[in-house]
Amino acid sequence: MIRHKLTRYIIVLIALPLGTYAQSSNNFKATDRFFGVHFDFHANPDTKGIGKTLTNEDVAYMLNNVQPDYIQVDTKGHPGISSYPTKVGVAVPEIAKDPLLIFREETAKKSVALFSHFSGVLDAQAVKDHPDWARINANGKPDAGATSIFGNYADAYFIPQLKELSDKYNINGAWVDGECWALQADFSPAAIEAYKKFSGKVDVPHSRKDADWANYIQFTRYAFRQYLNHYFNAVHKFNPRFLITSNWSFSSFMPGSVESPVDYLSGDFTSDAVPDVNFEARALAPQGKPWDLMAWGFMSDKNGKGFYWKSARQLEQKAALVLSQGGGYQVYVPQKRDASLQLEMVPTLTEISKFAHARKAYCYQTTPIPQVALLLSAYGHYNESPGVFENGQGGNNNVKGTLAMLLNSQYSVQLLQEHHLQNNLADYPILVISEWKKLQPEFVIKIENYVRGGGKVLAIGDKHIFTNSLPETVTTSTDNIAKLPVRMQTYGKGMIACIDDNISLKYAKTGNDTLRQAVAGIVSKLFPHPRVAVGGSAKVHVTINRKNKSTLIHLVNVNDHYDTLPNNQLDFKLPAIADKLAVTVNMQVKPGVIRVQPGNISVPFTYANGTVKFNVDGVDVYSIVEIK
């Protein structure tokens, strides 16, 4: 998040009595993290007057109106300066009132969980005061802002400060920021020694030009996972109920199975684009942990300047994209520099909270009904990604483009990795694979066996992966609206097709609807009978889930755009979809009742030969069809 430059300062700590909190939020679980508000401000050495204008009344006003399930507040940002009177870390130079005490008092009264926003690997003050804790760059110089995951920082400083927060304030957990997305290769003596033991090699690569550079990056990824396990276990040892995550861990930045005692998964997305939010939500959804995504509640103008609050409608649409995938949602509203609240956002947050909670029973922790599986390859990602953990390069961008084409064609799509498909690939009628440069040979064999057994595969990109099931000698056809080169043939009981062109990034950048129509036509040949079909508007994204004995069809309005005002401010527009939507659902049993939620609006329907047909009177932002 926000970063601040560090300078020298004098610490002045004002001790305040902490008291004892009779919390009924002590039983708060990770699955209770449905709707929250995130506050932080990344204090720096020049920050003064902390808590001066923050009052219990203001916090109570916010909590009473917004009614969040939890809030996250600033305790230590990337500069490494704590915004409360810590005895372990380095506090701001002047504290008028302890803000954390006020937040804990008021959240305890209302049984709202309290989480700490706490910077982890990024801690500029720690490396300034303890140079031996710093990550070392390839040129041998210490990093001015990042600690080493191989040093003593975690045990001597980071973990003890989390324990202090738990012991003194009885907070419910921590949202640890500045970690995987900020991680870079470390060349400290401890890191080099660890690499030599890990690899059995003597020579250590120091640049991308060196032969073993990819191995060093992979070692760094492994070491970070061990680092997470270490401090997660340490935290749970001193407080088993302390809920902790590391921002963007086990997400699109850091794909792979969750072999970690992390309590929940979370990330903050800065891009408001529908394709980006769709991608991040679907990357977290199947990972087997409670999860949420955080939208920033503010934005700049079209030139990247200024500070403007987003509207409730804008933030509700992003909530819809997240909630429809079964996750929780939170909104980031910066605290003022004295840790007080920007109360002008309370009405907006209140509206968003009502929007989310009205849909909770029909969206939260639902189970997807298998339809289209789109491969997010952990192996392919790490093969193509030049950094340690990042999501803006390599195959991820191709997957975003493919996902957008499929969703804009109104398919219900899950983003799945190799470990998700290991035992249940056969559950999916079709698997779509974007332009990965390389996949594990054993996984390619698994996919070809899936096709041989009756599965359907659409591959996009060049011809080098499925040479057994779809050799280059298969006739190429351009009989589609975009004249794309396509090879398709039966293989065993199934069918496999390949579009021999790299089109996903083209679509992501241009939104060329001819490409989308061509891909949709090819998918329809492989997958002619999806569970749900929606007609009447192309600006609705569709997800089909189940919960208890209900089938839930999520309809999200994606008909958004921005107008530019005379002052260059961006004005978000999301016209309601007024057209009647004709919905067809394939079901083996006749439904007892169909309702549109929220509102419990009964919908007349017909049922014949395993097909349910009904109409929905448009979508404002997000409607859910409940079929019992």
Side-chain angles (χ1 to χ4, degrees):
M1 290 184 179
I2 308 163
R3 294 160 178 82
H4 304 277
K5 189 176 180 180
L6 288 177
T7 55
R8 279 290 176 192
Y9 66 101
I10 299 172
I11 304 173
V12 178
L13 291 178
I14 299 177
L16 293 175
L18 296 177
T20 303
Y21 311 114
Q23 290 183 72
S24 57
S25 60
N26 268 345
N27 296 322
F28 190 89
K29 305 181 295 296
T31 51
D32 295 325
R33 285 178 55 94
F34 174 66
F35 178 76
V37 184
H38 177 98
F39 302 102
D40 73 38
F41 63 101
H42 293 257
N44 61 38
D46 298 324
T47 306
K48 296 180 180 180
I50 292 292
K52 184 176 181 180
T53 66
L54 178 68
T55 67
N56 288 71
E57 290 76 16
D58 285 349
V59 176
Y61 165 75
M62 181 274 295
L63 295 174
N64 286 334
N65 283 275
V66 179
Q67 296 188 27
D69 301 300
Y70 65 95
I71 62 171
Q72 299 178 172
V73 300
D74 190 273
T75 55
K76 187 188 75 166
H78 305 327
I81 305 299
S82 298
S83 57
Y84 71 97
T86 175
K87 293 182 179 179
V88 177
V90 177
V92 291
E94 183 182 299
I95 297 178
K97 288 183 292 188
D98 183 351
L100 200 53
L101 173 65
I102 294 173
F103 282 117
R104 179 70 284 183
E105 286 176 344
E106 295 305 316
T107 53
K109 291 175 186 177
K110 295 167 178 61
S111 300
V112 174
L114 179 64
F115 285 75
S116 155
H117 168 258
F118 194 87
S119 189
V121 168
L122 292 183
D123 189 322
Q125 189 64 38
V127 300
K128 186 175 185 179
D129 293 340
H130 304 273
D132 55 312
W133 290 355
R135 183 189 74 87
I136 303 300
N137 291 305
N139 60 8
K141 296 181 179 180
D143 190 311
T147 60
S148 170
I149 61 174
F150 301 93
N152 293 325
Y153 165 74
D155 289 332
Y157 194 78
F158 174 48
I159 295 169
Q161 193 166 3
L162 288 174
K163 187 175 187 303
E164 176 187 55
L165 287 166
S166 174
D167 291 345
K168 292 179 66 175
Y169 297 93
N170 204 14
I171 63 173
N172 297 86
W175 193 87
V176 182
D177 196 6
E179 296 224 293
C180 74
W181 57 265
L183 198 69
Q184 298 181 58
D186 184 2
F187 299 93
S188 64
I192 289 174
E193 185 62 28
Y195 173 73
K196 290 178 178 179
K197 290 181 180 178
F198 177 83
S199 65
K201 298 182 179 182
V202 176
D203 295 328
V204 177
H206 280 71
S207 77
R208 288 187 172 90
K209 297 178 181 180
D210 295 337
D212 285 336
W213 177 256
N215 291 333
Y216 200 80
I217 295 299
Q218 192 64 13
F219 153 74
T220 304
R221 294 167 183 150
Y222 166 81
F224 181 69
R225 288 185 171 88
Q226 298 303 110
Y227 177 80
L228 288 183
N229 290 347
H230 174 70
Y231 83 71
F232 289 160
N233 283 325
V235 166
H236 291 145
K237 185 175 181 180
F238 67 70
N239 185 350
R241 293 180 301 188
F242 194 95
L243 304 175
I244 191 163
T245 196
S246 174
N247 184 19
W248 287 122
S249 60
F250 306 103
S251 68
S252 65
F253 288 77
M254 185 180 161
S257 59
V258 184
E259 297 172 355
S260 165
V262 63
D263 293 300
Y264 62 98
L265 305 180
S266 184
D268 61 315
F269 56 85
T270 57
S271 169
D272 237 15
V274 167
D276 292 332
V277 182
N278 278 329
F279 176 74
E280 301 302 350
R282 284 168 174 78
L284 286 176
Q287 287 287 60
K289 291 283 185 177
W291 65 278
D292 64 77
L293 281 172
M294 179 201 304
W296 286 24
F298 56 95
M299 61 182 180
S300 55
D301 65 16
K302 75 169 188 177
N303 298 317
K305 298 179 180 179
F307 181 99
Y308 304 95
W309 294 118
K310 295 176 183 176
S311 67
R313 192 169 182 83
Q314 184 173 357
L315 291 166
E316 285 167 0
Q317 188 208 38
K318 304 311 173 287
L321 298 172
V322 174
L323 299 181
S324 64
Q325 303 309 304
Y329 184 66
Q330 55 176 313
V331 178
Y332 170 34
V333 177
Q335 290 167 263
K336 295 179 183 178
R337 298 307 296 169
D338 70 346
S340 60
L341 301 178
Q342 308 212 50
L343 296 179
E344 65 269 26
M345 270 296 280
V346 168
T348 297
L349 293 170
T350 300
E351 186 176 335
I352 299 165
S353 177
K354 290 177 179 178
F355 175 92
H357 282 108
R359 291 160 175 79
K360 180 180 179 181
Y362 314 102
C363 64
Y364 190 47
Q365 295 193 307
T366 48
T367 301
I369 294 176
Q371 289 290 275
V372 178
L374 174 59
L375 180 64
L376 174 61
S377 172
Y379 180 87
H381 170 85
Y382 292 130
N383 177 63
E384 298 179 33
S385 177
V388 180
F389 295 116
E390 50 186 54
N391 76 341
Q393 299 187 42
N396 279 14
N397 286 336
N398 288 322
V399 175
K400 282 185 186 180
T402 306
L403 177 63
M405 281 190 281
L406 293 169
L407 292 176
N408 289 341
S409 300
Q410 298 183 313
Y411 288 106
S412 182
V413 185
Q414 286 178 261
L415 201 56
L416 300 171
Q417 301 176 42
E418 290 91 340
H419 65 279
H420 301 133
L421 296 168
Q422 195 61 43
N423 297 316
N424 65 350
L425 177 55
D427 294 342
Y428 291 86
I430 183 171
L431 172 65
V432 179
I433 302 170
S434 59
E435 297 93 332
W436 294 107
K437 295 178 181 178
K438 191 175 182 181
L439 297 176
Q440 288 172 301
E442 56 268 31
F443 190 66
V444 172
I445 292 172
K446 184 175 185 65
I447 293 171
E448 293 184 326
N449 288 337
Y450 157 76
V451 177
R452 189 181 290 113
K456 310 295 174 58
V457 166
L458 171 61
I460 301 174
D462 57 33
K463 310 172 183 180
H464 69 281
I465 292 181
F466 297 104
T467 55
N468 292 327
S469 53
L470 192 65
E472 292 188 33
T473 54
V474 173
T475 302
T476 298
S477 170
T478 57
D479 185 19
N480 57 79
I481 189 172
K483 302 300 180 184
L484 297 174
V486 180
R487 290 173 297 123
M488 182 184 299
Q489 74 166 7
T490 57
Y491 183 69
K493 297 179 181 179
M495 185 174 291
I496 184 168
C498 184
I499 300 172
D500 294 323
D501 192 2
N502 298 326
I503 61 170
S504 297
L505 275 180
K506 295 177 186 176
Y507 183 77
K509 292 177 179 179
T510 67
N512 185 322
D513 201 54
T514 302
L515 286 177
R516 181 200 63 78
Q517 292 180 55
V519 171
I522 297 164
V523 171
S524 68
K525 293 179 181 178
L526 297 167
F527 183 38
H529 304 295
R531 181 70 68 91
V532 178
V534 176
S537 174
K539 294 297 185 177
V540 176
H541 283 179
V542 179
T543 297
I544 180 168
N545 293 337
R546 67 167 60 93
K547 188 173 185 179
N548 300 323
K549 295 183 179 180
S550 294
T551 297
L552 300 159
I553 302 170
H554 303 261
L555 306 172
V556 180
N557 179 355
V558 293
N559 189 30
D560 60 300
H561 68 278
Y562 288 99
D563 290 339
T564 303
L565 302 179
N567 65 350
N568 289 326
Q569 183 178 349
L570 296 171
D571 187 20
F572 179 82
K573 299 293 185 182
L574 181 67
I577 294 172
D579 298 327
K580 192 179 293 291
L581 303 179
V583 183
T584 302
V585 186
N586 296 320
M587 300 189 74
Q588 295 180 349
V589 179
K590 181 180 178 180
V593 63
I594 298 179
R595 296 189 179 96
V596 174
Q597 304 291 1
N600 215 32
I601 303 168
S602 294
V603 176
F605 65 92
T606 63
Y607 180 80
N609 301 317
T611 301
V612 183
K613 293 184 179 181
F614 57 90
N615 293 325
V616 175
D617 292 331
V619 176
D620 183 23
V621 178
Y622 174 29
S623 295
I624 303 162
V625 178
E626 179 189 22
I627 304 176
K628 285 195 173 183

